[in-house]
Structure formats: C-alpha cells, structure tokens
C-alpha cells in the first residue's frame, strides 16, 4: 500500500491546466470505474478537457492543487464563490491515501474565512461517502445526461455554521 506523499497545497495556476485535465480524465476512467460503467465514464469525460473553458472553470473558482515533492499534481479541488464544491479529483494512485482530505480541509478553511455558511456539491458515487464521513447530508439523487448517457450523482449540502 502506497502512503500519501508529502504534498504542498497551493493555488491553481493556469500552467496547471494540462496536468489537471489529465488527472481529471484518469480519475474518471480509472478511479470512478469501480462505480460507473465504461460507457458512463466515457460520457462523463470523453477526453481530457482542453482550451480556455477548462482553464477558466478552474481559474474562476478558488481551486487548490496538491503537489508532491516531485512536482506531480496528486489532486485538486475547487470552490465557487457561491459555495459549490465544483470539482474534487485525486490521481488514481493517490486515491484513499489522504490527498482528498488535505485538499478538503484547506477548502473548508477558505470557505469559513470568506464567510460562506453553506456548501453544496453534486457528488459522484465515489465522492458521496467521502462527503458523508465529513457530515454532509444527501439532498437528492439526480440523473444528469452527458453525451446521451444518464449518470447518477447526488446533490449534497453542508452547513458551516
């Protein structure tokens, strides 16, 4: 079992876009494969995202990356100004090793610092237990369509007060 590497949590930089896009693609196709079919994973993320829409999505949110001593991005999470945890992904080899928790802890500290009272997210089957262990509650199960395929996710919320 591989232990979590020492990581530095830092703000997303535009130069991180290719690495985060590849990590996102791999997390969906390798990590989420235990809970979603190959067709669902392909619909969710048919290829690593590229271009300005990906960069803007991460740059316009408060996005953190976990970087190893070797400058590898082990994971990333983003929080919108409205209090939505938009993205929460960890590289497959670091899943279950504590990377998500370190990112999450920093994100929650930031949410409290800026005065957010409530956070929401649309959690995957894989992310739902992570959020539940941290006191998030399920609001509703949802069906979303991506590229003609219906995927299940879960609207969840957490009150920070």
């Amino acid at each position: 079992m591989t232990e979590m590497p020492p990581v530095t949590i830092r703000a997303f930089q535009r130069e991180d876009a290719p690495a985060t896009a590849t990590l996102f693609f791999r997390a969906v196709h390798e990590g989420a494969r235990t809970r979603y079919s190959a067709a669902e994973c392909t619909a969710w993320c048919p290829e690593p995202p590229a271009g300005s829409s990906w960069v803007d999505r991460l740059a316009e949110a408060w996005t953190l990356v976990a970087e190893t001593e070797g400058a590898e991005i082990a994971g990333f999470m983003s929080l919108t100004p409205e209090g939505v945890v938009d993205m929460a992904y960890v590289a497959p080899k670091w899943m279950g090793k504590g990377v998500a928790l370190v990112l999450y802890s920093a994100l929650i500290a930031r949410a409290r610092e800026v005065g957010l009272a409530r956070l929401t997210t649309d959690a995957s089957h894989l992310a739902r237990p992570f959020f539940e262990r941290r006191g998030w509650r399920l609001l509703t199960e949802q069906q979303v369509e991506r590229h003609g395929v219906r995927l299940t996710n879960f609207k969840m919320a957490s009150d920070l007060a």
Side-chain angles (χ1 to χ4, degrees):
M1 177 178 191
T2 307
E3 291 185 20
M4 184 178 86
V7 294
T8 300
I9 303 300
R10 62 170 177 78
F12 169 82
Q13 300 166 355
R14 290 183 177 272
E15 309 82 65
D16 297 326
T20 55
T22 299
L23 188 153
F24 171 59
F25 180 82
R26 290 190 60 227
V28 169
H29 286 269
E30 297 169 37
R33 199 72 178 266
T34 61
R35 302 286 177 87
Y36 291 91
S37 70
E40 289 171 320
C41 291
T42 298
W44 183 351
C45 182
E47 58 189 22
S52 62
S53 62
W54 176 254
V55 175
D56 292 346
R57 182 176 181 177
L58 296 178
E60 290 169 5
W62 190 66
T63 302
L64 294 175
V65 298
E67 185 176 73
T68 67
E69 289 178 340
E72 172 189 0
I73 294 179
F76 68 98
M77 279 190 190
S78 65
L79 178 68
T80 71
E82 300 77 29
V84 177
V85 177
D86 181 39
M87 308 205 69
Y89 292 92
V90 173
K93 77 179 189 179
W94 301 121
M95 287 180 174
K97 310 292 183 221
V99 172
L101 182 56
V102 173
L103 285 163
Y104 176 79
S105 297
L107 210 70
I108 292 299
R110 171 66 174 183
R112 287 190 168 115
E113 179 183 301
V114 299
L116 293 172
R118 184 174 200 240
L119 302 181
T120 61
T121 194
D122 293 335
S124 68
H125 281 290
L126 198 62
R128 179 182 172 182
F130 175 86
F131 286 108
E132 286 177 331
R133 285 191 300 273
R134 279 139 197 93
W136 288 59
R137 66 189 180 288
L138 175 66
L139 300 177
T140 188
E141 182 175 313
Q142 307 177 121
Q143 296 290 313
V144 295
E145 187 171 317
R146 298 282 185 268
H147 303 283
V149 176
R150 295 188 66 73
L151 304 169
T152 300
N153 71 18
F154 307 92
K155 175 67 75 183
M156 300 183 78
S158 176
D159 294 319
L160 297 180

